[in-house]
Amino acid sequence: MSARTGGTRVDPNDAGAPGEAAFREQELRLPPVSVPALLVLLCVPLAVAAALLAMVFSGAFLTGTALLDPGDLVTYGLPVARTLHDIAATATVGFLAVAAFLAPGQTKRPGMLGWAQSRATRWAGWAGAAWFACALAVLLLTGVSVSGVQPADALFWPTLGTFLFGVELGQSLVVSAVAVLVAAVVAALAHRITTAGVAFGFAVFALLPLALSGHAAGSSEHANAVNSLAVHLVGVTLWAGGLLALLLLRTTMKRGFPAAVARYSTLAGWAFAAVAFSGVVNASLRLASPSDLLKPYGILILVKAAVLVLLGIAGALQRRRVIPRLRRDPADRRAFAAFATAEIVFMALAVGVSVGLSRSAPPVSQQPLTGDEAREGLLGFPYPPPVTVERILTVSHIDWVWLALAAVLAGLYVWAFVRLRRRGDPWPVHRLIAWLAGCVALVWLTSGGAAVYGLVHFSTHMVQHMGLMMLAPPLFVLGGPVLLALRVLPARHDGSMGVREWLLLLTHSGYLRFLSRPVVAGVIFAGSLVVFYFTPAFQSAMFSHQWHVLMCVHFLLSGYLFFWVFIGIDPGPPRPAYPILFIVMLATLAFHAFFGVALMESGCVLAADWYHALGQTDDAALLADQHVGGGVAWGASELPMVLVALLVVARWVSSDERAARRLDRQAERDGDAELRAYNERLARLSRRE
């Protein structure tokens, strides 16, 4: 974490930038010791004490899941290490969020870190190093806790290796630790805002595998539990970490501080909604009835809920009173410091209670289902009745996170549409209809019959797959979300990067320029089918929730990229000529048909272990259903691709007509000068011959 020299990180709010020596001295200087800083420091032992007291209250120390007694050091050390781990994660994510999205920058060298952004990334690097150290401690202590094998035992290292690379919990902790290390290193070396954004992405990604640590694969509602906990972790770290970073950097931002606080207020509002939503979902999955709220585990949930309500009230007061006060006088930061310090104290208490809850047994068991309920444990919900057309259209099992995502996407689009119309700017209604239809399709594909039976039969799985690639993506593309966002979102002029600036950066990046080549988009779109289904990836996606989510995300994004290249209206790299687009589309359609025929003629059952685990042991019936799935893959591609091809041809003709009209208007203005020049050139060639 060495100091950076140079004149690129300057505060645009200062009258004069400090010299190189002064800059180096100030960057290495620790934050001033103040009452808020001391209280924030005391939040660390407060969170640790809250975690231990919560575990004592719930009786977590009296029960354990280890095969052997791990000893007092592990029993009491693991919750302490996990609390420190979560605090360091919160600080890292918060500082990187401030650097990449909230803090004012400098405008002399666009893209380079400003003074406040630079300090935020440096502190994020140090916090990330602490986070990585705590992650290693959690890895070691969790391995000992699960196995009960002590470090002095000869079997310790082989047992630890099996846990880290052969058990899902260990694998998730390893992936998280690696992502933390990458985030810390990138933050320490960051010179540009985009680099800070990359570090932020790795830091947020490091939180996602941690959602697996509280839920065993094979337990009831495993998917909803993991998804909601992942949303909860991201929301909490952004909310608490952003506030912590602003509090410690309040004297660094100077006149840009009010704008940063206002931006954080919007971010905190979204984080509050995410935390409240995911908390309700998670609590409903862990409590069997309202009476469980009177048990120790339920009482701890009520404590967290009370803290959440108090923090929500404090946030509303801060938005109504503190932010206007800061705008009137940016130097008057006392009210913000008082509010923020009090909120961070309560957040530390909530973090400690959360760690205690994660180490306590809820009323509803999170252990894998066995015996007659084993296949319900694999699915995460009751085994559905035999599939029919009516049932695939009406049966549902709600995936709450996908449902919430679709609702947010629909709500934001409607808000932007209404705002644009009220401003007097036109926006076609058919784009709104296409976008909302895509949201409805996404809900059905992730929570409807396609998702329920997609885990039971290959043919219905292929219905879900084709829908994720060829139904929802073109509807989203026709909605033109990027173009709408660029028209609605305000531009920033203080050297910081908001959503609009990040969208512009992405649409003009060399990375997207490469991906948007028709051949590349076609290979990703069609080639991923072969890679996914004719490798162990398909079976992994059926057994593993995280691989299943990755599958859905990949198919959505690959479909969106493909259709955006051919029929997209959003800004981006220049598209090639229409004949090239048409040829690549025909080639992709042919390859897709070849893939469907290959499935129809396949002789071995794909993901056989998964279907056998569900009790479907008739390989002949499985193979017949797989052949039906191949027919679905072939047939489902025909209509969307034909419609897209017709749209490409229509735009091709329209483009030629516009070009002809433009040439006619030019000829009227200059007396057909281009034609006369062409005829004169032909005459000169004729005379020369």
Side-chain angles (χ1 to χ4, degrees), residues 368-377 613:
L369 300 177
T370 57
D372 296 337
E373 298 178 332
R375 65 179 185 176
E376 295 184 5

Side-chain angles (χ1 to χ4, degrees), residues 369-512:
L369 300 177
T370 57
D372 296 337
E373 298 178 332
R375 65 179 185 176
E376 295 184 5
L378 290 173
L379 297 176
F381 51 84
Y383 198 85
V387 61
T388 62
V389 175
E390 179 183 359
R391 285 172 179 161
I392 201 173
L393 294 176
T394 58
V395 170
S396 65
H397 176 263
I398 297 178
D399 189 311
W400 289 103
V401 171
W402 281 109
L403 177 62
L405 176 62
V408 169
L409 291 176
L412 288 176
Y413 197 98
V414 171
W415 169 82
F417 176 82
V418 172
R419 183 172 181 179
L420 206 61
R421 284 296 186 94
R422 287 179 177 176
R423 201 170 66 190
D425 296 334
W427 188 260
V429 176
H430 71 266
R431 295 180 185 174
L432 172 65
I433 296 174
W435 181 266
L436 296 180
C439 293
V440 172
L442 181 61
V443 172
W444 180 73
L445 292 168
T446 54
S447 298
V452 173
Y453 288 102
L455 292 172
V456 179
H457 306 298
F458 184 87
S459 55
T460 45
H461 163 81
M462 192 56 65
V463 171
Q464 182 190 29
H465 181 169
M466 291 298 104
L468 289 172
M469 290 187 73
M470 294 191 168
L471 177 59
L475 293 172
F476 285 137
V477 167
L478 291 175
V482 176
L483 182 60
L484 179 62
L486 294 178
R487 290 189 180 182
V488 171
L489 295 175
R492 294 189 183 181
H493 304 286
D494 62 352
S496 64
M497 292 185 61
V499 176
R500 189 178 191 277
E501 287 71 24
W502 282 104
L503 284 176
L504 285 173
L505 179 67
L506 176 63
T507 55
H508 294 88
S509 65
Y511 177 71
L512 187 60

Side-chain angles (χ1 to χ4, degrees), residues 153-169:
D153 197 304
L155 296 176
F156 172 73
W157 290 111
T159 304
L160 182 63
T162 301
F163 169 74
L164 296 181
F165 303 105
V167 180
E168 187 178 40
L169 174 58

Side-chain angles (χ1 to χ4, degrees), residues 510-596:
Y511 177 71
L512 187 60
R513 187 179 302 111
F514 171 77
L515 291 179
S516 62
R517 294 175 180 175
V519 175
V520 176
V523 169
I524 294 174
F525 181 77
S528 59
L529 296 173
V530 176
V531 174
F532 179 73
Y533 284 101
F534 294 105
T535 66
F538 174 46
Q539 182 159 283
S540 297
M542 304 302 282
F543 274 106
S544 173
H545 172 67
Q546 57 269 37
W547 283 106
H548 190 270
V549 172
L550 183 63
M551 174 199 76
C552 295
V553 172
H554 170 76
F555 289 149
L556 274 173
L557 293 181
S558 62
Y560 187 93
L561 173 67
F562 179 81
F563 289 107
W564 174 77
V565 169
F566 290 90
I567 61 173
I569 59 174
D570 287 327
R575 266 73 161 187
Y578 282 103
I580 297 178
L581 289 177
F582 196 74
I583 292 173
V584 173
M585 174 164 287
L586 293 179
T588 305
L589 178 61
F591 185 87
H592 205 283
F594 171 78
F595 166 76

Side-chain angles (χ1 to χ4, degrees), residues 90 93-95 97-98 101-104 234-247 253 256-272 311-312 314-316 318-319 322-323 326-327 336 339-341 343-344 347 492:
T90 300
V93 173
F95 279 119
V98 168
F101 304 102
L102 306 180
V234 174
V236 167
T237 51
L238 281 174
W239 188 10
L243 186 61
L244 173 65
L246 286 176
L247 179 63
M253 298 184 193
F257 185 63
V261 174
R263 293 164 186 165
Y264 166 77
S265 180
T266 302
L267 177 64
W270 283 101
F272 174 84
L311 290 172
Q318 189 176 81
R319 188 177 186 89
V322 176
I323 295 178
L326 277 173
R327 285 173 174 166
F336 171 82
F339 265 95
T341 303
E343 290 181 72
I344 289 174
M347 288 175 176
R492 294 189 183 181

